[in-house]
Every structure is written in structure tokens, then in C-alpha cells.
Amino acid sequence: MGRLLTAIAIPADLEHVLDEAWKEAEKVEGYLSENEARFLGMLAACVPGKGPIVEIGSFKGRSTVMLGKVAARYGLGPVVAIDPHNSTILLDHQANPQASSYDCFLESIRAAGVAEQVEPLVRDSKEAAKTWQRPIRLLWIDGDHSYEGAKSDVEGFSRHLDPLGVMAIHDALNVFPGPLRVFAEDVLTSDRYGPAGFVHSIAWAQVRPEDGGAFRKERASLARRVARLIPFVRNGEALEGMRKRQYKFWRYLVPHSAVDAREWADSVRAK
Ligand SMILES: C[S@@+](CC[C@H](N)C(=O)[O-])C[C@H]1O[C@@H](n2cnc3c(N)ncnc32)[C@H](O)[C@@H]1O
């Protein structure tokens, strides 16, 4: 039977654990909605396989806290949190050329009681990828949203995903040039991956070395729907008027509503 996936173990207290984790995560300034955070927490708890959770792009630690709380509860750490903490987009370097999100990040994980679960790597993900060797169970990408940035994160780290490991990339259904295009072109087209989908703006896919091809039709159908969005996000410029309405209509046709653990587990079961 090898690594065919017949069942996912869903912890009985998962909903309660996600509630408690979100209570801590929402205190941290950040860009993850509650539904996205809960989905991420569910993946952290339920994805089979071995290896750490890797986060690319932590900022002040909202998603790190969510992942850390779940990892702590089920003994699934560490969460390796990769971020140089010097974002020129999110921090005001004109007011303070030394601006960094690192102190705030450290305070967030300390206040949430997850500092022991988290291994910060204060480094650019391209640098971190050069020496990365460990298998990864869950890869969470929320760093550089340019096409080159998202591509280099997917290429640099997804090859380390454990069989049955999952990659998830944020802002794939928001107007950024990288996440959606890389997911559509490099992930949905590959039989290395099996089941895939969207939850709000998170795109996810599971590595399925043995039966990825069995999910090819579903991935291709998703790819056709998201291909229509790529021209709208290609240059990352804010959309207005008719273009914005067109984009939102095509996006509405991409299934991306919240799923609970049971629905997700059913969607990844071997056919
Ligand atoms: C949108 S924020 C992350 C938000 C965070 N996940 C949360 O839940 O609030 C993007 C972060 O990615 C980081 N980043 C940008 N380029 C990066 C790179 N090449 N490697 C690692 N992190 C990067 C930035 O420093 C910034 O903190």
C-alpha cells in the first residue's frame, strides 16, 4: 500500500484548539483572516508525514502564533519561521532606516507561549533554501509576493516536502503577481501533487508521489478557472472599475470557501 492515504487522523479536540489558537493569533497585527488561520491550523494538526512546519514570511507573527499553538498542543513542532524582518513594503524605512519586525515577532511568540515551538531564521528565504536539508511536513509561504519571489520559494522548498506533505501559499486569490501564477503554472500542472484547492486566498496542494495522477482532472479543472485571473494580477496593480468587477466575477467561480477538517480529510483520501 506504500503511502496511499486512506484516512487522516483528526484530533477530537481540534475545534477547541483552533478557537484557542485564534484567540492568541488575532491579538497580533497581521494579514491572515480568521478562516485562513483556522485552515492553516487544521493543516498543521492533520497533515501526515514527518518534519517541521516551515513558514516563509512571519512579519509580526500572526500565522506563526497560530501554527505554534497547534504544534504545541499536539507535539508537532518545530515551526521554522523564516523572515529577514526588514520588509521595505510593510515597514517605514524612511522614518527609521533600521526598522525591523523582529522584536515585535519575538514578543508575539513569547506572549502567546509558543517561543519554545518556534525556530526563527532571520534570513531571506533564498539564502535559507541554499542550505535547507530537512524534510518538511507543512510548507506555508507568505513572503515575497512577486512572481520571482513566489517561484523561488516554491522551487526552493517544495522539493523538501515529505510524501503526503502539504504546501500552502497565501494571497493566491488577491491581486499579487506571484502566488496565483506560480500555483497555477508549477503546482496544478504537476502530478507530483494530488489534491489541491483554495480556502479564501490560501492555495494548497498535497504531495502524492504514488497517486498524484489520480487527481489530475480536478487540478486541471481548477487550473482552467484560475488561468482567467492571471492576466488581472500579472503586474500587481490595483484593479478598478470594470476590470475589478470582471476579476471578482472570475474569482467567484473558483471554489474557495472554508472547509472543516472532515471535509478536507475526505478531499485528500486516495481514490
Ligand atoms: C505579508 S507578511 C507575512 C504575514 C504573516 N504571515 C502574518 O500572518 O501576519 C510578508 C513577510 O514576508 C517577509 N519576506 C519578504 N520577502 C521575503 C523573503 N525573500 N524571505 C523571507 N521572508 C520574506 C517580509 O519581511 C514580511 O514580514
Side-chain angles (χ1 to χ4, degrees):
M1 183 65 110
R3 307 230 39 194
L4 279 183
L5 187 57
T6 50
I8 292 273
I10 302 171
D13 64 348
L14 180 60
E15 285 307 308
H16 172 69
V17 171
L18 295 179
D19 289 344
E20 295 300 306
W22 174 246
K23 267 190 214 158
E24 292 300 322
E26 73 173 331
K27 293 179 193 163
V28 181
E29 183 193 340
Y31 299 90
L32 201 67
S33 70
E34 178 173 357
N35 278 324
E36 292 173 337
R38 294 182 77 93
F39 179 65
L40 198 57
M42 184 279 290
L43 291 178
C46 296
V47 167
K50 62 176 186 297
I53 296 167
V54 171
E55 169 180 86
I56 300 174
S58 309
F59 191 46
K60 296 185 177 176
R62 178 177 277 206
S63 51
T64 329
V65 165
M66 194 71 202
L67 293 166
K69 289 303 268 186
V70 174
R73 170 66 184 87
Y74 301 119
L76 298 168
V79 178
V80 180
I82 304 171
D83 194 321
H85 286 286
N86 61 357
S87 170
T88 48
I89 297 167
L90 302 173
L91 301 166
D92 187 354
H93 284 102
Q94 277 193 335
N96 172 13
Q98 309 302 323
S100 164
S101 46
Y102 190 47
D103 286 348
C104 211
F105 167 80
L106 287 179
E107 177 51 24
S108 302
I109 58 172
R110 191 204 58 75
V114 297
E116 284 196 3
Q117 268 67 45
V118 178
E119 263 181 52
L121 263 190
V122 185
R123 200 171 299 164
D124 188 285
S125 54
K126 285 187 210 68
E127 285 305 308
K130 285 181 190 163
T131 51
W132 187 269
Q133 304 232 319
R134 289 184 268 177
I136 297 171
R137 190 171 64 85
L138 173 61
L139 173 62
W140 164 235
I141 301 176
D142 192 13
D144 179 351
H145 288 29
S146 69
Y147 174 69
E148 294 72 21
K151 192 163 174 84
S152 113
D153 285 342
V154 170
E155 278 177 2
F157 285 91
S158 65
R159 61 204 165 91
H160 298 287
L161 276 164
D162 197 49
L164 306 185
V166 166
M167 64 90 65
I169 184 162
H170 197 207
D171 286 324
L173 290 181
N174 289 326
V175 182
F176 292 99
L180 180 69
R181 187 173 157 203
V182 174
F183 186 70
E185 294 177 356
D186 299 0
V187 176
L188 290 178
T189 53
S190 165
D191 279 349
R192 179 174 177 240
Y193 294 96
F198 290 85
V199 169
H200 289 257
S201 79
I202 297 179
W204 66 272
Q206 186 180 35
V207 172
R208 297 288 282 257
E210 296 209 5
D211 63 345
F215 295 85
R216 190 182 303 145
K217 249 171 72 178
E218 289 90 334
R219 286 197 318 275
S221 153
L222 209 48
R224 277 194 296 278
R225 286 168 194 246
V226 299
R228 297 186 289 223
L229 294 171
I230 293 174
F232 292 86
V233 303
R234 201 175 269 273
N235 61 14
E237 277 168 22
L239 302 172
E240 284 173 20
M242 190 56 194
R243 258 177 88 65
K244 186 171 181 176
R245 284 197 290 280
Q246 269 178 344
Y247 166 79
K248 285 196 162 181
F249 176 70
W250 292 133
R251 185 175 68 175
Y252 163 77
L253 297 181
V254 178
H256 61 282
S257 48
V259 290
D260 65 18
R262 174 54 48 213
E263 288 169 300
W264 182 77
D266 286 345
S267 77
V268 301
R269 187 174 299 134
K271 295 181 181 203

